[in-house]
Amino acid sequence: MVCPRCVMAVEGLLKSMKVDFDRVELGQVLFSHTPEELFLKAFEEKLAVLGFALARSRESVWVETTKLALIDLLEGEGDLKREAPLSELLSQKTGLPYSRLSQLFSSFEGMSIEQYFIGLKIEKAKEWLSYETLNISEIAWSLDYSSVQHFSGQFKKVTGMTPSQYKKSNEKSRMFLDQIGEAR
């Protein structure tokens, strides 16, 4: 779950299943009591219909926590121009050494944390280019690129076109942030 509508959908599902829960947050449900396995199976099936999955292993929870932390950072709940390195931030969020987290992430997602974060940043750039809210220099700066050239090069490597070409294009394909990595 990566948006308020996702939270509302899961809350609605839980209410329709008449189950007690404390709250639903991005990526997690806090239950009043430990749910029974029979409920979890039914809940998992209904989540799948909504396009969500239930994370059952510690490893998958760490990977999802990493993805949510990166999305939060990108969506403004963090500071892209942060003082601490990204590796330190993610280690703090998950409680794992970055080397272990990086290995887990790669094995679960088939890409590195850095590749995933680049994908998130490029999707955010595509959003801003589509809505023409920022110019290319402002986008590069907002996404913490060292230069417009670096941003443009990375954008072209990921999308096959420059930011200017994308902006002028009639076909502006985009992905939801929670779908980054699924197309690989």
Side-chain angles (χ1 to χ4, degrees):
M1 295 176 291
V2 296
C3 68
R5 287 184 304 281
C6 299
V7 169
M8 287 176 28
V10 172
E11 284 175 342
L13 174 60
L14 289 167
K15 287 175 184 172
S16 75
M17 295 178 78
K18 296 180 172 62
V19 68
D20 290 330
F21 62 96
D22 290 331
R23 67 182 183 275
V24 177
E25 297 175 349
L26 293 180
Q28 63 181 338
V29 176
L30 302 168
F31 291 100
S32 305
H33 305 290
T34 304
E36 295 179 17
E37 189 62 30
L38 188 58
F39 162 77
L40 287 176
K41 286 186 184 219
F43 184 51
E44 188 170 23
E45 288 173 9
K46 292 179 184 217
L47 282 174
V49 171
L50 295 174
F52 301 128
L54 188 61
R56 289 186 170 260
S57 71
R58 284 182 302 165
E59 290 84 3
S60 63
V61 170
W62 287 323
V63 168
E64 289 304 311
T65 300
T66 300
K67 290 165 75 174
L68 288 171
L70 293 170
I71 290 169
D72 287 349
L73 185 64
L74 188 67
E75 292 292 341
E77 295 180 25
D79 182 10
L80 282 179
K81 298 184 183 336
R82 63 205 171 277
E83 304 225 352
L86 187 60
S87 58
E88 193 175 305
L89 171 84
L90 295 175
S91 289
Q92 288 172 354
K93 288 273 189 187
T94 60
L96 287 178
Y98 184 76
S99 58
R100 174 74 174 127
L101 185 60
S102 179
Q103 180 265 332
L104 274 174
F105 193 94
S106 295
S107 67
F108 271 72
E109 296 297 318
M111 69 173 75
S112 70
I113 292 171
E114 291 78 14
Q115 290 170 319
Y116 180 80
F117 195 46
I118 289 167
L120 289 176
K121 288 166 59 170
I122 296 304
E123 284 306 313
K124 186 54 132 176
K126 287 161 75 175
E127 175 186 330
W128 288 335
L129 287 166
S130 296
Y131 297 139
E132 300 183 13
T133 55
L134 300 171
N135 67 39
I136 294 170
S137 296
E138 291 169 328
I139 291 170
W141 182 83
S142 296
L143 293 174
D144 199 29
Y145 280 93
S146 57
S147 68
V148 174
Q149 293 78 12
H150 182 222
F151 164 67
S152 295
Q154 208 163 60
F155 190 95
K156 183 167 185 167
K157 184 177 178 185
V158 172
T159 66
M161 60 179 81
T162 67
S164 297
Q165 290 170 327
Y166 182 86
K167 191 174 185 172
K168 292 175 187 171
S169 171
N170 290 330
E171 180 64 34
K172 291 184 171 63
S173 64
R174 296 193 28 222
M175 292 172 32
F176 293 109
L177 293 182
D178 62 341
Q179 294 176 322
I180 302 297
E182 290 180 9
R184 290 183 179 247

